[in-house]
Amino acid sequence: MNKFTEQEAQQLIAGKLTRYFGVSPSEASREQIYKAVVMSVRDIMLEKRQAFHLKMKKAKAKRVYYLCMEFLMGRSLKNSVYNLGIGKPLSKALKSFGVTLEDLYEEEPDAGLGNGGLGRLAACFLDGLATQNYPAMGFSICYQYGLFKQKIVDGWQIELPDVWLPGGEAWLTQRTDKQFIVRFDGELEEKWTDHGMETVYYNAREVEAVAYDMMVSGADSEAVSVLRLWRARPVQKFDMQLFSQGNYAEVMRDEGEAELISKVLYPSDNHSEGKSLRLKQQYFLVSASLQCIVSDHKRRYGSLNLLPEMAAIHINDTHPALAVPELMRILLDENYYEWDTAWNITTATLAYTNHTVLAEALETWAEDLIARRLPRIHGILKEINRRLCDDLWRRFPGDWDKISRMSILSHNTVRMANLSIVGSHSVNGVSELHSEIIKNSIFRDFYEYTPEKFTNVTNGIAHRRWLNQSNPELCALLNDCIGEGYAKDASRLAEFAKFDKDESVLKRIGEIKRIKKEQFAEYAKKKQGIAIDPNTVFDVQAKRMHEYKRQLLNALHIISCYNALRDDPNLDVLPKTYIFGAKAAAGYDMAKQIMKLICFLAEDIRRNPDPRIREKLNVVYMENYNVTMSEALMPASEISEQISLAGKEASGTGNMKFMINGALTIGTLDGANVEMAERVGTDNIFIFGLKADEVDEVWRNGYNSSSYYNQDAELRRIIESLIVGFNGCSFAEIANYLLRKSPVADPYMCLADYESYTRTQHKMSELYRNDPTDWNRKSLRNIAAAGYFSADRSVRDYATRIWGLKRLDK
Ligand code: 26W
């Protein structure tokens, strides 16, 4: 493999410094050294990719193309150095430049090209694919601004632009040989030509898509995954006529409009806004990617007849669903296929994953918007829909309700989920529970129509990033006990379970957690000037801020603890620090209100004059939670809060990151928590609350939050406290939300689950205080049971059961 020696590394880096920055090693700034190192590491990966590419070509290997509007990559240097196995020579080489590798890691901005779970999953998958030598490419957009930078001013979230490219660009390789024209607007005309009836598309606005590649090396493998990011720019033909007529403004406007497409990532997670620019982004991604895939395929194999045998194209959530009509357009208009053949090729190539059941997240577009912006795509959608409805009519004669629910076009809306299902040969959810729910509720009609399409692939995480790289201390213990094999085969973590009676191992687990807590406390001090006492228990909820994830339920319990301590500051309770990290979608008012409540509650406690209270209860809201912060936080956590209303969290992946780092979960039977409980055993996880079917039942019978309020004095006291407020601010609005909001009070049933939650919290505190050894034993069992939740296993499931992909080393 293309590794290097210390001397070679030194020369490579010094060479970059002279050629790209005109400085000698002794003059170079840390930033310049960082960039020179990135360029050197990138070169190694480009070479490695080329070798793998050759192998793919020779083997005529099938490839997967993963289309996703988000790839939440975080930092790349540490991961690349680890995966390439070049840490030692590089560290030594850097001595002569007067910096350490750790210093350089800190120079790198996060590539925050995603919102949350969906985007981080896509990033984890690229790692799993490369490590197992699967031929894979991700496609997304090269957003100039990634997910906003969060500032919290007086408890209120402010969004600032995320300027990542100055430091992140060094990873990108511009591919001037990969450029495609994407067309919007314009008009259609049908014409008779040599190919029969042809649809001609004219007067379109054209935008050019230019590729920027980012390499993701596998760990100790031959493969490198490529993430191809499209940047939009005006087509390089200047409208001279407009310009010479003196229409400068119009010319410049067109230029600006083109670039707008890849300007910024939409910050909304689980809520579809239906904005025209977002539609343009989606089509831009889909059209550029498919043109690229198709042209590569044709260069290699001549025609598109073999596309399904050689390419698996994945639609990650419905955001790239226009891949269905776009592939049809390319087959029909540019390659003159008959409709039926084109349709068979399309559906055999595409597969779709659903990542959420929330109604407000299910995407629909106004049909007239699509008709205007994408007239040809609209025409194809109408024909897909016509044929679908014909077939449904044959299968379910007279069942108009069903047919109207299943149609793609209805009442001036285009339903992207229906389109994705109809246009794919496979539809999957991301945990067992979620996959059952989609079959039985949101996609029930489709499940009855084509049951063979539906399947499950439970999510997984890049465990080398989340365990090996983030927690070397824990890995040292694992290596002592079970060797290093788990890095490439996470199922071997199970061998760690044998040590659950070994007192010295259990003790070391506690010591390691303590070290990671101290490190995080230092990090929080440095980042935010906040003091965290590592002697307290770290109870952490880190994920996007959303009503269904119920950060509010957590807050209600903290308020009750605070009340108890205000009543009796001498109360003998387990000292805890509650840590939150979460961004809210910019326009999501309720989420921002909950954030404000937590921040004001935190401040109220911090300002409490009684040190006996402050010593036992601390609340910390970490600002700007992102991948890099997460890597510091997961290993330091002792309690993992996974408390969504059952049936709402498709899977969760943070839950897996906490688990593999030995945190104990307090959670509902939701998403992947269900499978975590099955694997670790119910004695080692703290499950509470209504189950998904019980939630449905309570809902059917009419949920009334007041009945819980009336029966529970503790709850009444908490609501009172909300109204009185914290740090001088009343939160009566939240009290109202829980009890009186129309049309429903407490839509995510915090009050229904409160008693069970608080009881379970107490149970955990008792265990922590009374039997720390048993706590560590449970922690050990969680680590040992986490292997299944590796992205390596997830992508293997996709590869064998959905994509029909083979490893290139087997
Ligand atoms: C169009 C607005 C929008 C944006 C993003 C709608 C929906 C999304 C995503 C699908 C939301 C998301 O990230 N879902 C999360 O996906 C993870 C990976 O499968 C799961 O682990 C989480 O449970 C799920 O919430």
Side-chain angles (χ1 to χ4, degrees), residues 44 213 488 513 765:
I44 298 175
D213 285 356
K488 290 274 299 226
K513 190 56 86 179
S765 294

Coordinates of all heavy atoms in Angstrom, one line a residue, residues 44 213 488 513 765:
I44 N -2.0 10.7 -1.3 CA -2.0 9.3 -1.1 C -3.3 8.6 -1.4 O -3.4 7.6 -2.0 CB -1.6 9.0 0.4 CG1 -0.2 9.6 0.7 CG2 -1.6 7.5 0.7 CD1 0.2 9.4 2.2
D213 N -14.3 16.3 -5.8 CA -14.2 15.0 -5.2 C -13.5 15.1 -3.8 O -12.5 15.7 -3.7 CB -13.4 14.0 -6.1 CG -14.3 13.6 -7.3 OD1 -15.5 14.0 -7.4 OD2 -13.7 12.9 -8.1
K488 N -11.7 -4.1 12.7 CA -12.2 -4.5 11.3 C -13.4 -5.4 11.4 O -14.1 -5.6 10.4 CB -11.1 -5.2 10.5 CG -9.9 -4.3 10.1 CD -10.2 -3.5 8.8 CE -10.3 -4.4 7.6 NZ -9.6 -4.0 6.5
K513 N -13.6 6.1 32.0 CA -14.8 7.1 31.9 C -14.4 8.4 32.6 O -14.6 9.5 32.1 CB -16.0 6.5 32.5 CG -17.3 7.2 32.3 CD -17.6 7.5 30.8 CE -18.3 6.3 30.2 NZ -18.6 6.6 28.7
S765 N -30.0 6.4 39.3 CA -29.2 7.0 40.3 C -28.9 6.1 41.5 O -27.7 6.1 42.0 CB -30.0 8.3 40.9 OG -30.1 9.2 39.8

